[in-house]
Amino acid sequence: MSFIVDAARRRQLDEEPSQAATWAYSQMRNRQRRLWMAVGLLTLIAVALTGTLLLRWVSARETSAVATSVDSGSPVPQEVVSSVPAPAVAEAVTPAETVADVPYYQPIESDAPDEEIFRTPVPLDAAPKAIAQELLRFQYSSHLYSTESDGRSMSVNGKRVREGDAIDHWSVDEITESGAIWDNGEILVEVNVLDLWN
């Protein structure tokens, strides 16, 4: 029996592979070839990108070295100066303002009266008692804040108001995230609407 099995195995080994097996083998070889080509191409791209980044880094270091040398007053090597673009060297050579040249106080130039320039809103609890009582009479039923001033509004005493609108002798100077800044012509008062919500 083993003689027959051995003969069958020898015959099978001596036969040429089938056409399907040959096609499958060639397809496998083609896939391997394409894979190695893709790996090689990606390696070339990675090397090119790394080289470009290294060149930029080296040129940036040379530019900063020239700027540092010019600032410290030490001589700059000629090969470094020739490798740096002309505008960068020209900018580094221009003298910078010293602290003594800049005035400590720069007055605001405006045609507006002084009290309008320096007016800052005060919180409701820091406002005079009579003014605080006037503003506490307002009843707030809605408050809408937006980053754009056109989208801001409030409901005060049942009336929809926007920035610039007035109720009695108070006008809405600004609608803030948490409330509003009211103006009576003399003082700006910031009211937190969320604390007074009705």
Side-chain angles (χ1 to χ4, degrees):
M1 181 75 172
S2 67
F3 176 75
I4 296 173
V5 172
D6 286 341
R9 279 189 190 156
R10 266 190 247 116
R11 185 172 180 199
Q12 199 175 24
L13 291 174
D14 290 343
E15 287 181 2
E16 289 188 20
S18 68
Q19 212 173 18
T22 305
W23 181 81
Y25 181 74
S26 67
Q27 290 297 320
M28 183 184 70
R29 295 289 293 167
N30 286 339
R31 279 191 210 119
Q32 286 178 344
R33 230 180 270 129
R34 278 187 244 131
L35 176 68
W36 282 111
M37 287 175 63
V39 168
L41 183 62
L42 288 174
T43 304
L44 285 175
I45 291 171
V47 167
L49 285 174
T50 304
T52 304
L53 290 173
L54 280 173
L55 285 174
R56 285 189 177 186
W57 180 72
V58 167
S59 66
R61 285 187 53 100
E62 287 177 356
T63 304
S64 66
V66 168
T68 305
S69 296
V70 169
D71 289 343
S72 65
S74 62
V76 180
Q78 186 60 34
E79 62 273 3
V80 173
V81 172
S82 62
S83 67
V84 176
V89 173
E91 288 174 11
V93 171
T94 56
E97 287 184 344
T98 61
V99 177
D101 295 340
V102 180
Y104 177 73
Y105 170 73
Q106 296 178 348
I108 298 173
E109 296 178 11
S110 173
D111 296 333
D114 290 343
E115 62 270 5
E116 289 185 17
I117 294 173
F118 299 106
R119 290 177 61 197
T120 56
V122 297
L124 181 64
D125 56 356
K129 189 173 184 178
I131 289 175
Q133 287 176 348
E134 285 181 32
L135 290 171
L136 285 172
R137 288 184 296 123
F138 293 153
Q139 301 293 315
Y140 301 95
S141 53
S142 73
H143 174 264
L144 181 63
Y145 177 78
S146 171
T147 54
E148 297 180 15
S149 60
D150 294 342
R152 302 174 194 166
S153 66
M154 301 187 298
S155 252
V156 183
N157 295 344
K159 179 182 174 186
R160 171 75 62 194
V161 293
R162 296 181 181 278
E163 292 179 354
D165 293 348
I167 295 179
D168 296 335
H169 60 279
W170 289 94
S171 66
V172 180
D173 185 62
E174 181 184 351
I175 296 176
T176 62
E177 289 184 51
S178 60
I181 298 175
W182 292 93
D183 184 8
N184 70 352
E186 296 176 5
I187 188 171
L188 295 174
V189 181
E190 185 171 4
V191 178
N192 188 340
V193 172
L194 303 178
D195 291 345
L196 305 174
W197 201 264
N198 285 332

